[in-house]
């Protein structure tokens, strides 16, 4: 006789509890914050979707000036770079007369270095050998003959991957011996996020806003000595040219940092992804490696230095390829083997990104057919960025209650803004930093998406925002004019202009 089916109801089933909850989540993950894609950006995405669905706002588009994503802002790709990557991706095009010979030669050489002559194969964990050799040759040329060993070069998934890998190697210890990481304030939030995730100790050293965000050696000593009371400072990070601050450090400043690191036995991490983005005629990019070499063998052969570069910035703006490299000097040989082991866990960086990186370090030469177009595209992009840097500084400094240092390099302005006490109180009541309230109101009123300075760190009692200078000249001008009008309206709402002038 057939059994009756048992009716299963919700009441007689014990609901399975979730294994992963906010209570069981790794606390280091909860501690991670990344303002560049934080709450303001999420809100901007909501508004953008609403606009597409016909919702009414006081504007017709969201202008995203929150992130250094050049192509998303309308910048055109460098033709030669895309040609080489296209040839690598689809080698049948090597027979096409539409592609120049110098692009074909580079693509053929890269493919020869790939397993099965295919971009789809894994590379060695450190990267494709011929690309590492090209990077070493580029570094030697950039640094006017300073030796570069390709065995010290590692391809990475963007510069961020290299930065995180080096920090993983450095972070150890408990209690007073816990690794301390010195970072500039303001900083790029990758650093604070990685430090939080690894449960290391963040050591803030403040850049000098009154002197164009210069790095003050006395401030380094202050931060170091204060941190020694509760951790073991082991590494110092420098971003040059600066993000979010846009300053270009002088050679003298770099010498002082390297001497400080030498004396205090610190590992140096030099984030140099904006090395091609220098706009001020009074400034010049100096690599930490070159300065270290010029300080003599005592420094050059002993100070541990990791330098980082990327396809994402400069004039190429190829963020999506996730190409990058690091050069690591003076590692203990056994530690070097451990680094290779750590990198091997993620197999290899994207090989298409490695190919893109190769073009950046091995561009067309003056005698090659692609040079005129390449030179024109590169010059146009960097020239436009320099013009936009000057325009941004000029317009922002004409607004009451905004002060913007010269944008000497990189891709951002980081102006200080006056926020009236009434607005500060309102933000406090809403449980958010005052500059977060400012950026939220700006987004809701104008559609402009920028990042509050509190997401990068700033001195107590000061307020800032970071905006990119990447939109087209026309769109950037509109953005700055809208921002000016909003700021004056914001001041009128929460105080009077007379109060500001007092």
């Amino acid at each position: 006789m057939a059994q009756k089916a048992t009716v299963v109801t919700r009441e007689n089933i014990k609901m399975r509890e979730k294994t992963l909850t906010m209570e069981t989540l790794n606390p280091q993950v909860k501690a991670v914050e990344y303002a560049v894609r934080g709450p303001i950006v999420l809100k901007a995405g909501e508004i953008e979707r609403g606009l597409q669905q016909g919702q009414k706002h006081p504007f017709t588009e969201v202008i995203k000036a929150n992130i250094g994503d050049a192509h998303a802002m309308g910048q055109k790709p460098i033709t030669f770079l895309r040609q080489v990557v296209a040839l690598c991706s689809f080698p049948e095009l090597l027979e096409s007369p539409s592609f120049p010979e110098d692009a074909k030669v580079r693509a053929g050489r890269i493919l020869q270095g790939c397993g099965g002559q295919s971009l789809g194969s894994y590379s060695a964990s450190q990267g494709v050998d011929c690309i590492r050799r090209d990077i070493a040759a580029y570094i030697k040329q950039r640094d006017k003959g300073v030796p570069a060993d390709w065995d010290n070069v590692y391809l990475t998934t963007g510069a961020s991957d290299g930065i995180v890998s080096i920090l993983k190697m450095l972070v150890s210890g408990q209690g007073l011996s816990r690794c301390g990481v010195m970072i500039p304030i303001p900083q790029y939030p990758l650093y604070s996020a990685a430090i939080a995730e690894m449960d290391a100790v963040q050591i803030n050293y403040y850049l000098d806003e009154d002197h164009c965000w210069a790095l003050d050696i006395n401030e380094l000593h202050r931060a170091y000595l204060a941190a020694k009371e509760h951790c073991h400072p082991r590494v110092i990070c420098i971003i040059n040219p600066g993000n979010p601050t846009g300053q270009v450090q002088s050679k003298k400043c770099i010498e002082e940092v390297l001497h400080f690191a030498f004396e205090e036995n610190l590992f140096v991490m030099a984030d140099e992804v904006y090395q091609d983005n220098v706009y001020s005629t009074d400034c010049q990019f100096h690599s930490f490696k070159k300065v270290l070499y010029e300080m003599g063998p005592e420094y050059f052969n002993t100070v541990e230095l990791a330098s980082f570069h990327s396809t994402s910035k400069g004039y190429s703006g190829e963020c999506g390829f996730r190409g990058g490299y690091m050069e690591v000097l003076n590692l203990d040989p056994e530690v070097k083997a451990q680094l290779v082991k750590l990198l091997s866990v993620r197999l290899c960086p994207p090989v298409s990104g490695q190919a893109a990186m190769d073009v950046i370090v091995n561009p067309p030469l003056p005698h090659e057919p692609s040079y005129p177009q390449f030179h024109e595209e590169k010059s146009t992009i960097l020239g436009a960025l320099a013009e936009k840097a000057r325009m941004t500084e000029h317009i922002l400094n004409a607004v009451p209650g905004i002060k913007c240092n010269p944008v000497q390099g990189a891709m951002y302005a980081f102006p200080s803004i006056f926020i009236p006490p009434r607005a500060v109180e309102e933000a406090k009541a809403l449980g958010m930093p005052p500059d977060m309230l400012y950026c939220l109101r700006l987004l809701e009123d104008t559609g402009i998406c920028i990042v509050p300075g509190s997401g990068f760190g700033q001195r107590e009692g000061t307020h800032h925002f970071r905006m990119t200078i990447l939109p087209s000249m026309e769109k950037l001008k509109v953005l700055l004019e809208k921002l000016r009008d909003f700021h004056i309206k914001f001041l009128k709402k929460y105080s009077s202009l007379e109060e500001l002038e007092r």
Side-chain angles (χ1 to χ4, degrees):
M1 186 175 164
Q3 286 185 324
K4 280 189 178 180
T6 306
V7 177
V8 179
T9 63
R10 196 175 176 86
E11 286 71 28
N12 58 23
I13 291 181
K14 184 184 176 186
M15 294 300 289
R16 179 186 180 276
E17 292 181 357
K18 292 198 179 294
T19 302
L20 185 59
T21 66
M22 288 303 292
E23 286 68 40
T24 61
L25 181 67
N26 181 337
Q28 271 69 63
V29 172
K30 282 194 268 191
V32 168
E33 292 183 6
Y34 189 65
V36 175
R37 296 197 175 198
I40 298 285
V41 184
L42 296 175
K43 179 72 174 174
E46 283 177 29
I47 292 172
E48 203 165 34
R49 287 188 292 276
L51 284 168
Q52 290 164 0
Q53 291 161 13
Q55 288 178 11
K56 297 297 178 192
H57 288 275
F59 45 86
T60 56
E61 67 170 334
V62 171
I63 303 177
K64 290 183 178 174
N66 62 295
I67 194 165
D69 189 351
H71 291 198
M73 292 286 100
Q75 181 179 306
K76 299 298 181 203
I78 295 290
T79 302
F80 186 74
L81 187 149
R82 288 296 181 92
Q83 286 173 331
V84 174
V85 176
L87 288 162
C88 289
S89 301
F90 194 60
E92 285 85 345
L93 293 173
L94 289 164
E95 305 303 320
S96 168
S98 303
F99 288 78
E101 282 306 311
D102 46 357
K104 290 179 180 179
V105 168
R106 279 166 178 75
R109 182 166 171 272
I110 291 167
L111 288 171
Q112 285 289 329
C114 296
Q117 297 189 26
S118 172
L119 216 59
S121 60
Y122 289 127
S123 75
S125 298
Q126 302 98 306
V128 176
D129 281 359
C130 69
I131 297 176
R132 294 169 70 204
R133 289 179 188 274
D134 286 346
I135 291 168
Y138 160 80
I139 293 169
K140 183 178 179 181
Q141 181 188 36
R142 180 199 67 188
D143 292 342
K144 309 290 191 291
V146 176
D149 182 351
W150 71 278
D151 195 43
N152 292 330
V153 172
Y154 305 83
L155 275 298
T156 56
T157 307
S160 304
D161 172 50
I163 289 163
V164 170
S165 295
I166 294 296
L167 284 173
K168 278 182 183 174
M169 299 286 289
L170 284 156
V171 172
S172 65
Q174 296 296 327
L176 291 176
S177 67
R178 190 66 179 153
C179 173
V181 182
M182 299 184 71
I183 63 170
I185 297 296
Q187 52 102 25
Y188 176 49
L190 165 70
Y191 291 92
S192 53
I195 290 164
E197 187 181 349
M198 295 176 202
D199 199 24
V201 179
Q202 180 174 316
I203 304 169
N204 296 339
Y205 65 87
Y206 289 88
L207 300 176
D208 186 353
E209 185 170 11
D210 292 336
H211 293 89
C212 206
W213 299 111
L215 203 163
D216 177 11
I217 193 66
N218 295 320
E219 170 62 11
L220 287 186
H221 284 290
R222 180 209 63 77
Y224 176 82
L225 291 172
K228 279 184 76 175
E229 299 291 321
H230 57 88
C231 70
H232 179 193
R234 297 183 67 202
V235 56
I236 180 167
C237 304
I238 304 96
I239 309 171
N240 181 50
N243 175 11
T245 43
Q247 87 287 6
V248 180
Q249 299 295 1
S250 68
K251 184 179 177 184
K252 179 177 179 290
C253 166
I254 294 169
E255 285 173 345
E256 289 177 341
V257 171
L258 289 169
H259 179 72
F260 170 73
F262 176 81
E263 291 292 322
E264 304 299 352
N265 206 30
L266 296 174
F267 192 108
V268 180
M269 295 176 64
D271 183 338
E272 298 175 335
V273 301
Y274 297 99
Q275 57 190 261
D276 287 314
N277 300 103
V278 177
Y279 314 124
S280 172
T281 53
D282 301 327
C283 298
Q284 182 184 344
F285 170 74
H286 300 278
S287 77
F288 268 72
K289 183 189 177 183
K290 184 171 186 283
V291 175
L292 187 65
Y293 180 80
E294 291 170 348
M295 290 172 73
E298 184 184 10
Y299 289 87
F300 188 66
N301 296 329
T302 58
V303 173
E304 293 147 292
L305 168 67
S307 307
F308 306 91
H309 197 16
S310 167
T311 62
S312 302
K313 310 303 175 188
Y315 56 87
S316 63
E318 294 282 9
C319 302
F321 276 118
R322 306 309 300 129
Y325 75 77
M326 60 182 176
E327 183 189 24
V328 190
L329 303 181
N330 297 317
L331 271 192
D332 176 285
E334 289 184 285
V335 171
K336 191 171 182 176
Q338 293 294 312
L339 175 59
V340 173
K341 179 186 75 174
L342 180 66
L343 296 176
S344 72
V345 173
R346 50 87 159 127
L347 295 174
C348 70
V351 183
S352 55
Q354 295 186 48
M357 191 77 247
D358 188 73
V359 181
I360 289 167
V361 299
N362 186 23
L365 298 172
H367 67 274
E368 293 182 305
S370 297
Y371 181 79
Q373 183 180 7
F374 168 80
H375 180 70
E376 169 69 20
E377 290 174 352
K378 177 181 175 181
S379 301
T380 299
I381 289 166
L382 291 176
L385 284 169
E387 196 177 340
K388 289 188 283 189
R390 288 188 289 272
M391 181 180 77
T392 300
E393 177 198 348
H394 176 74
I395 292 177
L396 288 177
N397 278 328
V399 182
I402 297 183
K403 182 178 182 298
C404 183
N405 272 320
V407 182
Q408 298 173 336
M411 297 176 170
Y412 316 97
F414 195 71
S416 73
I417 49 174
F418 172 74
I419 297 184
R422 277 175 53 208
V424 172
E425 286 303 312
E426 183 176 319
K428 193 175 176 183
L430 292 167
M432 64 175 70
D435 48 19
M436 174 80 81
L437 174 70
Y438 180 93
C439 291
L440 188 60
R441 296 285 180 265
L442 175 70
L443 173 65
E444 291 168 343
D445 283 17
T446 68
I448 294 169
C449 178
I450 57 177
V451 190
S454 48
F456 301 88
Q458 54 198 351
R459 282 197 181 275
E460 188 71 31
T462 67
H463 310 293
H464 300 80
F465 62 76
R466 188 190 82 164
M467 59 166 282
T468 73
I469 59 169
L470 290 172
S472 68
M473 185 68 79
E474 297 73 27
K475 191 167 276 193
L476 183 62
K477 197 164 186 227
V478 169
L479 183 158
L480 290 165
E481 287 168 353
K482 280 186 168 188
L483 201 157
R484 176 194 62 202
D485 295 346
F486 165 82
H487 186 79
I488 291 167
K489 189 173 115 182
F490 187 85
L491 291 181
K492 282 180 178 174
K493 178 178 178 181
Y494 290 102
S495 67
S496 65
L497 288 175
E498 291 76 18
E499 180 186 342
L500 170 64
E501 285 160 4
R502 285 203 301 273

